[in-house]
PDB file of all heavy atoms in Angstrom:
ATOM      1  N   PHE A 166       0.816  -1.241  -0.024  1.00 91.00           N
ATOM      2  CA  PHE A 166      -0.030   0.011   0.025  1.00 91.00           C
ATOM      3  C   PHE A 166       0.844   1.248   0.009  1.00 91.00           C
ATOM      4  O   PHE A 166       0.341   2.353  -0.260  1.00 91.00           O
ATOM      5  CB  PHE A 166      -0.983   0.034   1.178  1.00 91.00           C
ATOM      6  CG  PHE A 166      -2.109  -0.936   1.021  1.00 91.00           C
ATOM      7  CD1 PHE A 166      -2.150  -2.166   1.686  1.00 91.00           C
ATOM      8  CD2 PHE A 166      -3.156  -0.631   0.186  1.00 91.00           C
ATOM      9  CE1 PHE A 166      -3.198  -3.031   1.528  1.00 91.00           C
ATOM     10  CE2 PHE A 166      -4.211  -1.498  -0.015  1.00 91.00           C
ATOM     11  CZ  PHE A 166      -4.272  -2.692   0.679  1.00 91.00           C
ATOM     12  N   PHE A 167       2.145   1.132   0.305  1.00 89.00           N
ATOM     13  CA  PHE A 167       3.019   2.327   0.276  1.00 89.00           C
ATOM     14  C   PHE A 167       3.058   2.940  -1.096  1.00 89.00           C
ATOM     15  O   PHE A 167       2.893   4.175  -1.263  1.00 89.00           O
ATOM     16  CB  PHE A 167       4.429   1.943   0.726  1.00 89.00           C
ATOM     17  CG  PHE A 167       5.430   3.002   0.482  1.00 89.00           C
ATOM     18  CD1 PHE A 167       5.373   4.183   1.209  1.00 89.00           C
ATOM     19  CD2 PHE A 167       6.463   2.827  -0.432  1.00 89.00           C
ATOM     20  CE1 PHE A 167       6.317   5.213   1.003  1.00 89.00           C
ATOM     21  CE2 PHE A 167       7.382   3.831  -0.631  1.00 89.00           C
ATOM     22  CZ  PHE A 167       7.323   5.009   0.076  1.00 89.00           C
ATOM     23  N   ASP A 168       3.223   2.133  -2.122  1.00 91.00           N
ATOM     24  CA  ASP A 168       3.316   2.631  -3.499  1.00 91.00           C
ATOM     25  C   ASP A 168       2.335   1.878  -4.447  1.00 91.00           C
ATOM     26  O   ASP A 168       2.388   2.086  -5.685  1.00 91.00           O
ATOM     27  CB  ASP A 168       4.701   2.529  -4.048  1.00 91.00           C
ATOM     28  CG  ASP A 168       5.276   1.136  -4.003  1.00 91.00           C
ATOM     29  OD1 ASP A 168       4.539   0.186  -3.677  1.00 91.00           O
ATOM     30  OD2 ASP A 168       6.501   1.008  -4.259  1.00 91.00           O
ATOM     31  N   MET A 169       1.468   1.037  -3.921  1.00 92.00           N
ATOM     32  CA  MET A 169       0.503   0.315  -4.687  1.00 92.00           C
ATOM     33  C   MET A 169       1.141  -0.656  -5.721  1.00 92.00           C
ATOM     34  O   MET A 169       0.532  -0.929  -6.767  1.00 92.00           O
ATOM     35  CB  MET A 169      -0.523   1.258  -5.406  1.00 92.00           C
ATOM     36  CG  MET A 169      -1.375   2.081  -4.485  1.00 92.00           C
ATOM     37  SD  MET A 169      -2.410   1.035  -3.395  1.00 92.00           S
ATOM     38  CE  MET A 169      -3.146   2.247  -2.364  1.00 92.00           C
ATOM     39  N   SER A 170       2.325  -1.132  -5.401  1.00 94.00           N
ATOM     40  CA  SER A 170       2.997  -2.031  -6.291  1.00 94.00           C
ATOM     41  C   SER A 170       2.607  -3.486  -5.959  1.00 94.00           C
ATOM     42  O   SER A 170       2.289  -3.795  -4.800  1.00 94.00           O
ATOM     43  CB  SER A 170       4.529  -1.862  -6.213  1.00 94.00           C
ATOM     44  OG  SER A 170       4.981  -2.168  -4.865  1.00 94.00           O
ATOM     45  N   LEU A 171       2.692  -4.385  -6.958  1.00 96.00           N
ATOM     46  CA  LEU A 171       2.336  -5.804  -6.732  1.00 96.00           C
ATOM     47  C   LEU A 171       3.637  -6.651  -6.805  1.00 96.00           C
ATOM     48  O   LEU A 171       4.588  -6.321  -7.552  1.00 96.00           O
ATOM     49  CB  LEU A 171       1.352  -6.263  -7.828  1.00 96.00           C
ATOM     50  CG  LEU A 171       0.026  -5.544  -7.920  1.00 96.00           C
ATOM     51  CD1 LEU A 171      -0.814  -6.220  -9.027  1.00 96.00           C
ATOM     52  CD2 LEU A 171      -0.679  -5.531  -6.599  1.00 96.00           C
ATOM     53  N   SER A 172       3.627  -7.743  -6.057  1.00 93.00           N
ATOM     54  CA  SER A 172       4.734  -8.715  -6.139  1.00 93.00           C
ATOM     55  C   SER A 172       4.134 -10.102  -5.885  1.00 93.00           C
ATOM     56  O   SER A 172       2.960 -10.229  -5.498  1.00 93.00           O
ATOM     57  CB  SER A 172       5.785  -8.360  -5.099  1.00 93.00           C
ATOM     58  OG  SER A 172       5.267  -8.472  -3.766  1.00 93.00           O
ATOM     59  N   HIS A 173       4.953 -11.125  -6.042  1.00 91.00           N
ATOM     60  CA  HIS A 173       4.577 -12.529  -5.770  1.00 91.00           C
ATOM     61  C   HIS A 173       3.250 -12.848  -6.467  1.00 91.00           C
ATOM     62  O   HIS A 173       2.323 -13.411  -5.875  1.00 91.00           O
ATOM     63  CB  HIS A 173       4.464 -12.809  -4.297  1.00 91.00           C
ATOM     64  CG  HIS A 173       5.770 -12.589  -3.539  1.00 91.00           C
ATOM     65  ND1 HIS A 173       6.199 -11.381  -3.132  1.00 91.00           N
ATOM     66  CD2 HIS A 173       6.706 -13.530  -3.191  1.00 91.00           C
ATOM     67  CE1 HIS A 173       7.341 -11.548  -2.471  1.00 91.00           C
ATOM     68  NE2 HIS A 173       7.708 -12.834  -2.557  1.00 91.00           N
ATOM     69  N   ILE A 174       3.108 -12.447  -7.756  1.00 94.00           N
ATOM     70  CA  ILE A 174       1.871 -12.627  -8.515  1.00 94.00           C
ATOM     71  C   ILE A 174       1.778 -14.025  -9.054  1.00 94.00           C
ATOM     72  O   ILE A 174       2.702 -14.527  -9.662  1.00 94.00           O
ATOM     73  CB  ILE A 174       1.825 -11.633  -9.697  1.00 94.00           C
ATOM     74  CG1 ILE A 174       1.914 -10.194  -9.131  1.00 94.00           C
ATOM     75  CG2 ILE A 174       0.514 -11.801 -10.474  1.00 94.00           C
ATOM     76  CD1 ILE A 174       2.282  -9.143 -10.193  1.00 94.00           C
ATOM     77  N   SER A 175       0.683 -14.740  -8.769  1.00 93.00           N
ATOM     78  CA  SER A 175       0.539 -16.101  -9.208  1.00 93.00           C
ATOM     79  C   SER A 175       0.304 -16.178 -10.715  1.00 93.00           C
ATOM     80  O   SER A 175      -0.387 -15.343 -11.268  1.00 93.00           O
ATOM     81  CB  SER A 175      -0.580 -16.809  -8.480  1.00 93.00           C
ATOM     82  OG  SER A 175      -1.813 -16.225  -8.846  1.00 93.00           O
ATOM     83  N   PRO A 176       0.910 -17.153 -11.401  1.00 94.00           N
ATOM     84  CA  PRO A 176       0.693 -17.307 -12.832  1.00 94.00           C
ATOM     85  C   PRO A 176      -0.771 -17.485 -13.206  1.00 94.00           C
ATOM     86  O   PRO A 176      -1.194 -17.160 -14.319  1.00 94.00           O
ATOM     87  CB  PRO A 176       1.510 -18.542 -13.219  1.00 94.00           C
ATOM     88  CG  PRO A 176       2.556 -18.639 -12.104  1.00 94.00           C
ATOM     89  CD  PRO A 176       1.870 -18.142 -10.910  1.00 94.00           C
ATOM     90  N   SER A 177      -1.557 -18.039 -12.266  1.00 95.00           N
ATOM     91  CA  SER A 177      -2.976 -18.301 -12.556  1.00 95.00           C
ATOM     92  C   SER A 177      -3.809 -17.064 -12.813  1.00 95.00           C
ATOM     93  O   SER A 177      -4.906 -17.149 -13.291  1.00 95.00           O
ATOM     94  CB  SER A 177      -3.587 -19.109 -11.382  1.00 95.00           C
ATOM     95  OG  SER A 177      -3.472 -18.386 -10.169  1.00 95.00           O
ATOM     96  N   ILE A 178      -3.247 -15.895 -12.474  1.00 96.00           N
ATOM     97  CA  ILE A 178      -3.987 -14.675 -12.701  1.00 96.00           C
ATOM     98  C   ILE A 178      -4.211 -14.441 -14.178  1.00 96.00           C
ATOM     99  O   ILE A 178      -5.179 -13.802 -14.619  1.00 96.00           O
ATOM    100  CB  ILE A 178      -3.269 -13.469 -12.044  1.00 96.00           C
ATOM    101  CG1 ILE A 178      -4.284 -12.334 -11.779  1.00 96.00           C
ATOM    102  CG2 ILE A 178      -2.123 -12.960 -12.932  1.00 96.00           C
ATOM    103  CD1 ILE A 178      -3.813 -11.354 -10.748  1.00 96.00           C
ATOM    104  N   TYR A 179      -3.321 -15.015 -15.008  1.00 96.00           N
ATOM    105  CA  TYR A 179      -3.505 -14.938 -16.473  1.00 96.00           C
ATOM    106  C   TYR A 179      -4.575 -15.903 -16.925  1.00 96.00           C
ATOM    107  O   TYR A 179      -5.476 -15.567 -17.745  1.00 96.00           O
ATOM    108  CB  TYR A 179      -2.192 -15.229 -17.229  1.00 96.00           C
ATOM    109  CG  TYR A 179      -2.407 -15.187 -18.727  1.00 96.00           C
ATOM    110  CD1 TYR A 179      -2.558 -14.026 -19.470  1.00 96.00           C
ATOM    111  CD2 TYR A 179      -2.513 -16.446 -19.418  1.00 96.00           C
ATOM    112  CE1 TYR A 179      -2.755 -14.054 -20.833  1.00 96.00           C
ATOM    113  CE2 TYR A 179      -2.735 -16.461 -20.785  1.00 96.00           C
ATOM    114  CZ  TYR A 179      -2.868 -15.266 -21.485  1.00 96.00           C
ATOM    115  OH  TYR A 179      -3.087 -15.276 -22.860  1.00 96.00           O
ATOM    116  N   GLU A 180      -4.518 -17.138 -16.406  1.00 96.00           N
ATOM    117  CA  GLU A 180      -5.518 -18.125 -16.836  1.00 96.00           C
ATOM    118  C   GLU A 180      -6.943 -17.732 -16.418  1.00 96.00           C
ATOM    119  O   GLU A 180      -7.881 -18.004 -17.168  1.00 96.00           O
ATOM    120  CB  GLU A 180      -5.158 -19.500 -16.206  1.00 96.00           C
ATOM    121  CG  GLU A 180      -3.831 -20.035 -16.659  1.00 96.00           C
ATOM    122  CD  GLU A 180      -3.775 -20.257 -18.185  1.00 96.00           C
ATOM    123  OE1 GLU A 180      -4.824 -20.589 -18.758  1.00 96.00           O
ATOM    124  OE2 GLU A 180      -2.670 -19.991 -18.758  1.00 96.00           O
ATOM    125  N   ILE A 181      -7.057 -17.053 -15.306  1.00 97.00           N
ATOM    126  CA  ILE A 181      -8.432 -16.687 -14.843  1.00 97.00           C
ATOM    127  C   ILE A 181      -8.866 -15.340 -15.421  1.00 97.00           C
ATOM    128  O   ILE A 181     -10.005 -15.247 -15.877  1.00 97.00           O
ATOM    129  CB  ILE A 181      -8.443 -16.660 -13.277  1.00 97.00           C
ATOM    130  CG1 ILE A 181      -8.082 -18.051 -12.688  1.00 97.00           C
ATOM    131  CG2 ILE A 181      -9.767 -16.165 -12.757  1.00 97.00           C
ATOM    132  CD1 ILE A 181      -7.920 -18.036 -11.191  1.00 97.00           C
ATOM    133  N   HIS A 182      -7.996 -14.326 -15.336  1.00 97.00           N
ATOM    134  CA  HIS A 182      -8.412 -13.020 -15.713  1.00 97.00           C
ATOM    135  C   HIS A 182      -7.813 -12.454 -17.001  1.00 97.00           C
ATOM    136  O   HIS A 182      -8.239 -11.440 -17.488  1.00 97.00           O
ATOM    137  CB  HIS A 182      -8.131 -12.047 -14.588  1.00 97.00           C
ATOM    138  CG  HIS A 182      -8.796 -12.391 -13.245  1.00 97.00           C
ATOM    139  ND1 HIS A 182     -10.194 -12.201 -13.081  1.00 97.00           N
ATOM    140  CD2 HIS A 182      -8.302 -12.861 -12.104  1.00 97.00           C
ATOM    141  CE1 HIS A 182     -10.485 -12.597 -11.843  1.00 97.00           C
ATOM    142  NE2 HIS A 182      -9.385 -12.975 -11.253  1.00 97.00           N
ATOM    143  N   GLY A 183      -6.786 -13.164 -17.506  1.00 97.00           N
ATOM    144  CA  GLY A 183      -6.145 -12.708 -18.711  1.00 97.00           C
ATOM    145  C   GLY A 183      -5.050 -11.647 -18.500  1.00 97.00           C
ATOM    146  O   GLY A 183      -4.598 -11.019 -19.466  1.00 97.00           O
ATOM    147  N   PHE A 184      -4.686 -11.411 -17.243  1.00 96.00           N
ATOM    148  CA  PHE A 184      -3.640 -10.406 -16.959  1.00 96.00           C
ATOM    149  C   PHE A 184      -2.243 -11.028 -16.991  1.00 96.00           C
ATOM    150  O   PHE A 184      -2.046 -12.111 -16.388  1.00 96.00           O
ATOM    151  CB  PHE A 184      -3.830  -9.784 -15.562  1.00 96.00           C
ATOM    152  CG  PHE A 184      -5.113  -8.976 -15.452  1.00 96.00           C
ATOM    153  CD1 PHE A 184      -5.981  -9.165 -14.377  1.00 96.00           C
ATOM    154  CD2 PHE A 184      -5.454  -8.032 -16.402  1.00 96.00           C
ATOM    155  CE1 PHE A 184      -7.138  -8.472 -14.250  1.00 96.00           C
ATOM    156  CE2 PHE A 184      -6.614  -7.274 -16.292  1.00 96.00           C
ATOM    157  CZ  PHE A 184      -7.450  -7.537 -15.175  1.00 96.00           C
ATOM    158  N   ALA A 185      -1.277 -10.419 -17.650  1.00 96.00           N
ATOM    159  CA  ALA A 185       0.056 -10.942 -17.712  1.00 96.00           C
ATOM    160  C   ALA A 185       0.755 -10.568 -16.356  1.00 96.00           C
ATOM    161  O   ALA A 185       0.822  -9.402 -15.986  1.00 96.00           O
ATOM    162  CB  ALA A 185       0.858 -10.326 -18.817  1.00 96.00           C
ATOM    163  N   PRO A 186       1.230 -11.563 -15.634  1.00 94.00           N
ATOM    164  CA  PRO A 186       1.885 -11.312 -14.353  1.00 94.00           C
ATOM    165  C   PRO A 186       3.024 -10.305 -14.390  1.00 94.00           C
ATOM    166  O   PRO A 186       3.305  -9.585 -13.450  1.00 94.00           O
ATOM    167  CB  PRO A 186       2.412 -12.651 -13.896  1.00 94.00           C
ATOM    168  CG  PRO A 186       1.509 -13.690 -14.578  1.00 94.00           C
ATOM    169  CD  PRO A 186       1.160 -12.996 -15.898  1.00 94.00           C
ATOM    170  N   GLU A 187       3.676 -10.226 -15.584  1.00 94.00           N
ATOM    171  CA  GLU A 187       4.868  -9.334 -15.722  1.00 94.00           C
ATOM    172  C   GLU A 187       4.433  -7.855 -15.812  1.00 94.00           C
ATOM    173  O   GLU A 187       5.233  -6.931 -15.488  1.00 94.00           O
ATOM    174  CB  GLU A 187       5.637  -9.723 -16.973  1.00 94.00           C
ATOM    175  CG  GLU A 187       6.194 -11.118 -16.971  1.00 94.00           C
ATOM    176  CD  GLU A 187       5.165 -12.143 -17.395  1.00 94.00           C
ATOM    177  OE1 GLU A 187       4.057 -11.741 -17.885  1.00 94.00           O
ATOM    178  OE2 GLU A 187       5.394 -13.359 -17.202  1.00 94.00           O
ATOM    179  N   THR A 188       3.214  -7.587 -16.252  1.00 95.00           N
ATOM    180  CA  THR A 188       2.841  -6.193 -16.477  1.00 95.00           C
ATOM    181  C   THR A 188       1.596  -5.739 -15.720  1.00 95.00           C
ATOM    182  O   THR A 188       1.239  -4.581 -15.751  1.00 95.00           O
ATOM    183  CB  THR A 188       2.525  -5.984 -18.011  1.00 95.00           C
ATOM    184  OG1 THR A 188       1.501  -6.867 -18.403  1.00 95.00           O
ATOM    185  CG2 THR A 188       3.798  -6.252 -18.850  1.00 95.00           C
ATOM    186  N   ILE A 189       0.935  -6.629 -15.012  1.00 96.00           N
ATOM    187  CA  ILE A 189      -0.303  -6.260 -14.291  1.00 96.00           C
ATOM    188  C   ILE A 189      -0.044  -5.207 -13.250  1.00 96.00           C
ATOM    189  O   ILE A 189       0.983  -5.149 -12.571  1.00 96.00           O
ATOM    190  CB  ILE A 189      -0.919  -7.555 -13.640  1.00 96.00           C
ATOM    191  CG1 ILE A 189      -2.272  -7.197 -13.055  1.00 96.00           C
ATOM    192  CG2 ILE A 189       0.021  -8.119 -12.599  1.00 96.00           C
ATOM    193  CD1 ILE A 189      -2.969  -8.416 -12.439  1.00 96.00           C
ATOM    194  N   THR A 190      -1.002  -4.320 -13.107  1.00 95.00           N
ATOM    195  CA  THR A 190      -1.000  -3.293 -12.052  1.00 95.00           C
ATOM    196  C   THR A 190      -2.185  -3.451 -11.140  1.00 95.00           C
ATOM    197  O   THR A 190      -3.122  -4.202 -11.445  1.00 95.00           O
ATOM    198  CB  THR A 190      -1.051  -1.886 -12.679  1.00 95.00           C
ATOM    199  OG1 THR A 190      -2.361  -1.700 -13.259  1.00 95.00           O
ATOM    200  CG2 THR A 190       0.010  -1.670 -13.760  1.00 95.00           C
ATOM    201  N   PHE A 191      -2.138  -2.744  -9.996  1.00 94.00           N
ATOM    202  CA  PHE A 191      -3.226  -2.899  -9.046  1.00 94.00           C
ATOM    203  C   PHE A 191      -4.518  -2.328  -9.630  1.00 94.00           C
ATOM    204  O   PHE A 191      -5.600  -2.876  -9.348  1.00 94.00           O
ATOM    205  CB  PHE A 191      -2.856  -2.170  -7.743  1.00 94.00           C
ATOM    206  CG  PHE A 191      -3.800  -2.561  -6.577  1.00 94.00           C
ATOM    207  CD1 PHE A 191      -4.248  -3.841  -6.405  1.00 94.00           C
ATOM    208  CD2 PHE A 191      -4.196  -1.581  -5.701  1.00 94.00           C
ATOM    209  CE1 PHE A 191      -5.113  -4.177  -5.343  1.00 94.00           C
ATOM    210  CE2 PHE A 191      -5.048  -1.896  -4.642  1.00 94.00           C
ATOM    211  CZ  PHE A 191      -5.498  -3.199  -4.483  1.00 94.00           C
ATOM    212  N   ASN A 192      -4.412  -1.292 -10.451  1.00 94.00           N
ATOM    213  CA  ASN A 192      -5.592  -0.758 -11.103  1.00 94.00           C
ATOM    214  C   ASN A 192      -6.219  -1.753 -12.068  1.00 94.00           C
ATOM    215  O   ASN A 192      -7.449  -1.728 -12.265  1.00 94.00           O
ATOM    216  CB  ASN A 192      -5.279   0.527 -11.830  1.00 94.00           C
ATOM    217  CG  ASN A 192      -5.282   1.788 -10.918  1.00 94.00           C
ATOM    218  OD1 ASN A 192      -5.691   1.649  -9.761  1.00 94.00           O
ATOM    219  ND2 ASN A 192      -4.848   2.870 -11.442  1.00 94.00           N
ATOM    220  N   ASP A 193      -5.410  -2.629 -12.650  1.00 95.00           N
ATOM    221  CA  ASP A 193      -5.965  -3.659 -13.510  1.00 95.00           C
ATOM    222  C   ASP A 193      -6.854  -4.582 -12.651  1.00 95.00           C
ATOM    223  O   ASP A 193      -7.957  -4.995 -13.080  1.00 95.00           O
ATOM    224  CB  ASP A 193      -4.846  -4.492 -14.136  1.00 95.00           C
ATOM    225  CG  ASP A 193      -4.066  -3.733 -15.191  1.00 95.00           C
ATOM    226  OD1 ASP A 193      -4.671  -2.820 -15.843  1.00 95.00           O
ATOM    227  OD2 ASP A 193      -2.870  -4.026 -15.380  1.00 95.00           O
ATOM    228  N   VAL A 194      -6.340  -4.968 -11.491  1.00 96.00           N
ATOM    229  CA  VAL A 194      -7.131  -5.859 -10.580  1.00 96.00           C
ATOM    230  C   VAL A 194      -8.421  -5.148 -10.153  1.00 96.00           C
ATOM    231  O   VAL A 194      -9.517  -5.778 -10.217  1.00 96.00           O
ATOM    232  CB  VAL A 194      -6.295  -6.203  -9.292  1.00 96.00           C
ATOM    233  CG1 VAL A 194      -7.131  -7.018  -8.350  1.00 96.00           C
ATOM    234  CG2 VAL A 194      -5.023  -6.946  -9.721  1.00 96.00           C
ATOM    235  N   LEU A 195      -8.341  -3.902  -9.766  1.00 94.00           N
ATOM    236  CA  LEU A 195      -9.499  -3.174  -9.346  1.00 94.00           C
ATOM    237  C   LEU A 195     -10.494  -2.988 -10.509  1.00 94.00           C
ATOM    238  O   LEU A 195     -11.695  -3.033 -10.311  1.00 94.00           O
ATOM    239  CB  LEU A 195      -9.127  -1.839  -8.736  1.00 94.00           C
ATOM    240  CG  LEU A 195      -8.205  -1.849  -7.551  1.00 94.00           C
ATOM    241  CD1 LEU A 195      -7.856  -0.429  -7.052  1.00 94.00           C
ATOM    242  CD2 LEU A 195      -8.791  -2.644  -6.383  1.00 94.00           C
ATOM    243  N   GLY A 196      -9.928  -2.744 -11.677  1.00 94.00           N
ATOM    244  CA  GLY A 196     -10.804  -2.554 -12.843  1.00 94.00           C
ATOM    245  C   GLY A 196     -11.584  -3.785 -13.279  1.00 94.00           C
ATOM    246  O   GLY A 196     -12.555  -3.662 -14.028  1.00 94.00           O
ATOM    247  N   ALA A 197     -11.147  -4.974 -12.789  1.00 96.00           N
ATOM    248  CA  ALA A 197     -11.868  -6.241 -13.111  1.00 96.00           C
ATOM    249  C   ALA A 197     -13.098  -6.422 -12.262  1.00 96.00           C
ATOM    250  O   ALA A 197     -13.930  -7.280 -12.573  1.00 96.00           O
ATOM    251  CB  ALA A 197     -10.893  -7.409 -12.963  1.00 96.00           C
ATOM    252  N   ILE A 198     -13.221  -5.663 -11.194  1.00 96.00           N
ATOM    253  CA  ILE A 198     -14.377  -5.774 -10.314  1.00 96.00           C
ATOM    254  C   ILE A 198     -15.632  -5.345 -11.106  1.00 96.00           C
ATOM    255  O   ILE A 198     -15.585  -4.335 -11.811  1.00 96.00           O
ATOM    256  CB  ILE A 198     -14.239  -4.902  -9.041  1.00 96.00           C
ATOM    257  CG1 ILE A 198     -13.030  -5.330  -8.241  1.00 96.00           C
ATOM    258  CG2 ILE A 198     -15.481  -5.001  -8.173  1.00 96.00           C
ATOM    259  CD1 ILE A 198     -12.681  -4.467  -7.083  1.00 96.00           C
ATOM    260  N   HIS A 199     -16.710  -6.073 -10.942  1.00 95.00           N
ATOM    261  CA  HIS A 199     -17.957  -5.707 -11.624  1.00 95.00           C
ATOM    262  C   HIS A 199     -18.359  -4.320 -11.237  1.00 95.00           C
ATOM    263  O   HIS A 199     -18.331  -3.944 -10.069  1.00 95.00           O
ATOM    264  CB  HIS A 199     -19.069  -6.735 -11.248  1.00 95.00           C
ATOM    265  CG  HIS A 199     -20.249  -6.636 -12.154  1.00 95.00           C
ATOM    266  ND1 HIS A 199     -21.119  -5.566 -12.203  1.00 95.00           N
ATOM    267  CD2 HIS A 199     -20.731  -7.543 -13.073  1.00 95.00           C
ATOM    268  CE1 HIS A 199     -22.090  -5.813 -13.043  1.00 95.00           C
ATOM    269  NE2 HIS A 199     -21.867  -6.988 -13.604  1.00 95.00           N
ATOM    270  N   PRO A 200     -18.708  -3.437 -12.223  1.00 93.00           N
ATOM    271  CA  PRO A 200     -19.067  -2.067 -11.875  1.00 93.00           C
ATOM    272  C   PRO A 200     -20.125  -1.977 -10.850  1.00 93.00           C
ATOM    273  O   PRO A 200     -20.146  -0.963 -10.024  1.00 93.00           O
ATOM    274  CB  PRO A 200     -19.597  -1.518 -13.254  1.00 93.00           C
ATOM    275  CG  PRO A 200     -18.867  -2.327 -14.262  1.00 93.00           C
ATOM    276  CD  PRO A 200     -18.743  -3.695 -13.653  1.00 93.00           C
ATOM    277  N   GLU A 201     -21.102  -2.845 -10.774  1.00 94.00           N
ATOM    278  CA  GLU A 201     -22.146  -2.791  -9.799  1.00 94.00           C
ATOM    279  C   GLU A 201     -21.664  -3.208  -8.369  1.00 94.00           C
ATOM    280  O   GLU A 201     -22.420  -2.981  -7.427  1.00 94.00           O
ATOM    281  CB  GLU A 201     -23.338  -3.737 -10.228  1.00 94.00           C
ATOM    282  CG  GLU A 201     -24.042  -3.270 -11.474  1.00 94.00           C
ATOM    283  CD  GLU A 201     -25.107  -4.232 -11.910  1.00 94.00           C
ATOM    284  OE1 GLU A 201     -25.338  -5.246 -11.193  1.00 94.00           O
ATOM    285  OE2 GLU A 201     -25.758  -3.989 -12.950  1.00 94.00           O
ATOM    286  N   ASP A 202     -20.478  -3.810  -8.270  1.00 95.00           N
ATOM    287  CA  ASP A 202     -19.939  -4.242  -6.965  1.00 95.00           C
ATOM    288  C   ASP A 202     -18.876  -3.288  -6.420  1.00 95.00           C
ATOM    289  O   ASP A 202     -18.493  -3.467  -5.259  1.00 95.00           O
ATOM    290  CB  ASP A 202     -19.394  -5.668  -7.072  1.00 95.00           C
ATOM    291  CG  ASP A 202     -20.490  -6.698  -7.233  1.00 95.00           C
ATOM    292  OD1 ASP A 202     -21.662  -6.350  -7.134  1.00 95.00           O
ATOM    293  OD2 ASP A 202     -20.111  -7.878  -7.435  1.00 95.00           O
TER     294      ASP A 202
END
């Protein structure tokens, strides 16, 4: 939370959400949340 950086990203994040572990950002994760939620 100091700089909103990600680490130790599981490879499965690509299989489930389509995000490349090498380039994913926290905003990508937040942007995947359903707009109504």
Side-chain angles (χ1 to χ4, degrees):
F166 286 104
F167 170 67
D168 56 8
M169 296 299 176
S170 61
L171 301 183
S172 64
H173 299 84
I174 302 163
S175 66
S177 58
I178 204 161
Y179 175 77
E180 297 302 324
I181 298 173
H182 300 290
F184 296 131
E187 301 80 13
T188 59
I189 186 176
T190 67
F191 194 39
N192 275 353
D193 291 331
V194 176
L195 300 179
I198 300 173
H199 195 291
E201 294 177 1
D202 287 353

